[in-house]
Amino acid sequence: MQSMLTRFPKIDAVFTVNDPMAIGASLAARQMHRDDFFIISVDGSPDIEAAIKDPNTKILALSYQDPYLMAVKAVRAGQDILNGKTIKPVITLIPPTLITERNVATIPGWSAPH
């Protein structure tokens, strides 16, 4: 991220594919005194909660993926297959939740059953 910030004097926004990348991008922006863009991420890991609450963060939002729900659905599908059932649809969509500083306290966490 530091290389990108050095190379490009104008950046509108940054999208990262996971929370560690977002946290690193925000840190790089802070180190290079850049406040001209925002960061959006995907995951919802425990580390992102503190980062998104930080008033100096560049991270504005993230798309929360629920690994607990993903595991529950995968195990149920596996049980169904073992019991001879045909799984339809083959792709199971789990809607993500948009998390911002306003609702970050609602992240159930990666290991919390709900």
Side-chain angles (χ1 to χ4, degrees):
M1 189 66 208
Q2 288 176 333
S3 295
M4 299 298 278
L5 292 171
T6 301
R7 183 173 178 194
F8 299 103
K10 173 81 169 103
I11 295 176
D12 296 319
V14 172
F15 171 77
T16 64
V17 297
N18 60 43
D19 296 335
M21 289 176 70
I23 293 167
S26 185
L27 177 60
R30 189 176 313 167
Q31 290 172 339
M32 297 189 74
H33 308 286
R34 294 284 299 268
D35 61 359
D36 54 327
F37 63 92
F38 60 91
I39 301 166
I40 304 295
S41 187
V42 175
D43 274 347
S45 69
D47 293 337
I48 201 72
E49 291 183 53
I52 206 166
K53 291 176 185 175
D54 180 349
N56 296 316
T57 191
K58 304 304 302 162
I59 305 167
L60 293 187
L62 63 113
S63 177
Y64 174 72
Q65 300 181 106
D66 188 338
Y68 180 81
L69 184 57
M70 290 179 198
V72 166
K73 289 191 175 275
V75 168
R76 286 183 185 153
Q79 287 173 326
D80 286 346
I81 291 169
L82 288 173
N83 291 326
K85 294 182 182 176
T86 302
I87 305 298
K88 291 186 182 181
V90 175
I91 296 174
T92 301
L93 300 177
I94 301 172
T97 302
L98 182 66
I99 302 294
T100 66
E101 67 178 15
R102 291 183 190 168
N103 66 348
V104 68
T106 66
I107 296 177
W110 278 12
S111 61
H114 43 277

